[in-house]
Amino acid sequence: MVSDRVAEKLGFNTLVRWMKEMLVSSMGTEELNALHPVSDSGLRRLSLTHTDALQGHLLRGDTLPLQDFIDVRPYLEQAHPDGAILNAESLDEVRRVCRASRRIRTFFSREGYDILARVVRPIGLLQELEQHIERTVDSNGRVKDTASTELRQIRRRLRQRQQALREKLRELLNRAIQQGYAAENQLTMRAGRMVIPLRAEAKRKMRGFVHDSSATGQTVYLEPAVCLDLGNEVRILEAQEQREIERLLRELTNRVREHATTIEHNLFILGKIDLLHAKAQLGIRLGGVVPKLSEDPVLEIREGKNPALLLTGKSKEIVPSTLSLGGETRTLVITGPNAGGKTVAMKTCGLMLVMLGCGIPIPAHPESIFGSFNQILVEIGDEQSIERDLSTFSARIAGLQQMCEVAAEGVLMLVDEIGTGTDPAEGGALAQAVLEHFTASGALTVVTTHHGTLKAYAHEAAAVVNGSMDFDEDTLRPTFLFRQGLPGSSYAFRIASRMKFSPAVLARARQILGKPGVTLESLIASYRDRISKLESFSRMPEPELVPESDPARPSSRPTVRRAPGKAEPLPAVQLKVGQQAVIDAGNSPCEILSIQGRNALVSAGNMRMKVALKRLTPIKQTKLRRKGKVRVSVPRPRIDLRGFRVSEALVEVEKLLDQGAGANLSTVEIIHGTGTGALRSAIHSYLETAEVNKEFECLDANPGVTIVKI
């Protein structure tokens, strides 16, 4: 589904490093190193089900009995030849694996663990082998005295002879100390024999056998002749002990060899459980959930947070994003200022898909929908290569070429700063051509860019939408809030202006950019300001649907009738190809290039965009003012908002005021009815804060109508 390079670019390595700290075994590490997202929807669903189930148990306070064992496969290899003998330490490690396997299977066999019980059911129980090793070997890797009757008897006699030998040697050493020819006052061992240290010149003072001497030759190590028999008995008993230990270890090794396949299979399952536990721990750390899964290639992220950023410990600073892709929308073009979160939003899409493919819950709303993708391709960052003689742009082109070759339905394309690294005009054209190819192929695509042409393309083209990252112009800081459907501005001039950049240089920059570019950025900024203002009013409590009353209406003015909850358009104004018009009663003229159904293709400078006909107002050429302001030809004196919700009503009020001002009307009327008064209150609150100074009143005779002076 993804290559290691793609996973690394998306930030999956950050998650891997965190999970690695949670693992308790080398088998778990092997499983983690082999972890790759799967595209098969059935396997993905099953893996997520297991992780989600274990995550739930851990959240309820359960503790997994998964510790105190190592990878014993090298010991199983040593035990493979006939006659091989594993040492006591190795056998004790095998016992620990048998115990861990038994405990895990028993743990998941409890009531409420039905889903996970199926995972550990293949574990083979080797309790008899476990008990046999435990009777023979202690936790320090030493064969126990009780391992056999013969070993117990041998060790008892051995201890007796060793004690007698030690007492005799101590007696002789004390005598040598008193007579002044002892080199040290402690007994020692040489060549497996207990000896007395004497000064070299006094070695004939005591009969015996010299086994060694010091490096300087001033000390010799002598075994007294009177202790020879006792020493021989000790050596014989030690040999008997060793033969009995070897017999016991060989017997245990044979048992291990018989069950080697089961032990290795158990290790495999323990490694999977170890990794499953790490994934569940990660899910808890991220506040992860299992979203709705779809068989179709679709993305609908609700309140999603970038998982890699969450692990940095700054979760309170992360703004959740909501975006959708799939169905009629195939391509998302994200724009906005530098360091505003465009790349993070794009990476979040890919990283969450990788996590789900690996069976890891994601930090998003559970109503989010994630489809199935065969492949994820990513083009992010500088891939400049000295060895291959590739520039940054050449490397990007090579990556895009590969993406174009595999673009198809079921493939997700993620491209950061598409079209950069070369001439802006050519780069923008190339980027648009690539996006057209991706969209036509059926692939889903998310790209980030600063190219204004791509903003217009996303607005005009079918199956392509704009998206943007918000920016707080007061603080000159990004808000990291993602908005789908709105193009973003780079805010280069605004940031420079707020930072007291040279006004003359800025003015020249605007002049160099040209009026179309400035107009587009101004249009985007103005549009976003309006949306933000309306959203602030729409956060007020929604009133119930206001029942339509019948206040007296002046008969001399035409009325606009609306059905509850649905806006009825004004009488259509005749628009023609080649005619000059303004959008939403603005001040920037545009030319109508073509009319297709309810939409028109218009040109503003060198920019083209598709606009709904109802948003266009023709310009009366004979009444254009010198300063560029226009008067619209059709006045709109009254609007009926009964049955509307607050958020819908405020949008219509703003349009009414803009069109009324453009038509040079002195007053307009807003019909809101009486009802509960909630709708009237919201409209009055908006009018009090409107940018243009407005006076308004409700007549005593008609409390359901507000008259606004423009």
Side-chain angles (χ1 to χ4, degrees), residues 344-405:
V344 171
M346 181 190 67
K347 284 184 175 182
T348 300
C349 299
L351 182 54
M352 285 188 170
L353 278 171
V354 171
M355 291 174 64
L356 293 174
C358 292
I360 304 172
I362 60 171
H365 193 282
E367 291 299 313
S368 301
I369 302 173
F370 284 79
S372 179
F373 290 84
N374 301 322
Q375 195 171 6
I376 301 175
L377 294 178
V378 176
E379 187 58 44
I380 300 175
D382 186 354
E383 292 291 334
Q384 184 173 356
S385 172
I386 297 176
E387 293 80 3
R388 296 176 56 195
D389 193 26
L390 288 178
S391 68
T392 300
F393 180 70
S394 299
R396 297 299 297 272
I397 287 297
L400 290 175
Q401 170 63 22
Q402 179 188 4
M403 298 175 85
C404 287
E405 291 174 355

Side-chain angles (χ1 to χ4, degrees), residues 289-308:
V289 300
V290 176
K292 293 182 177 180
L293 302 177
S294 172
E295 300 295 326
D296 301 320
V298 62
L299 275 178
E300 188 172 320
I301 303 176
R302 300 186 184 182
E303 301 175 16
K305 296 183 178 181
N306 186 275

Side-chain angles (χ1 to χ4, degrees), residues 19-58:
M19 287 189 289
K20 201 165 191 176
E21 296 296 322
M22 297 294 105
L23 298 172
V24 301
S25 69
S26 58
M27 292 78 66
T29 302
E30 286 185 13
E31 291 293 325
L32 178 61
N33 292 338
L35 181 64
H36 286 90
V38 296
S39 57
D40 183 88
S41 58
L43 293 176
R44 179 181 61 167
R45 192 180 301 273
L46 180 63
S47 181
L48 284 168
T49 299
H50 292 160
T51 309
D52 186 51
L54 183 55
Q55 182 175 323
H57 290 298
L58 295 177

Side-chain angles (χ1 to χ4, degrees), residues 187-202:
L187 299 175
T188 186
M189 297 288 294
R190 285 294 185 274
R193 312 284 290 198
M194 199 171 295
V195 295
I196 295 175
L198 298 177
R199 288 188 290 111
E201 63 272 19

Side-chain angles (χ1 to χ4, degrees), residues 573-574 579 617-620 623 631-636 662-663:
V573 179
Q574 287 297 110
Q579 191 173 18
T617 304
I619 298 174
K620 287 186 177 181
K623 294 187 178 182
R631 295 180 183 226
V632 294
S633 59
V634 180
R636 193 185 188 195

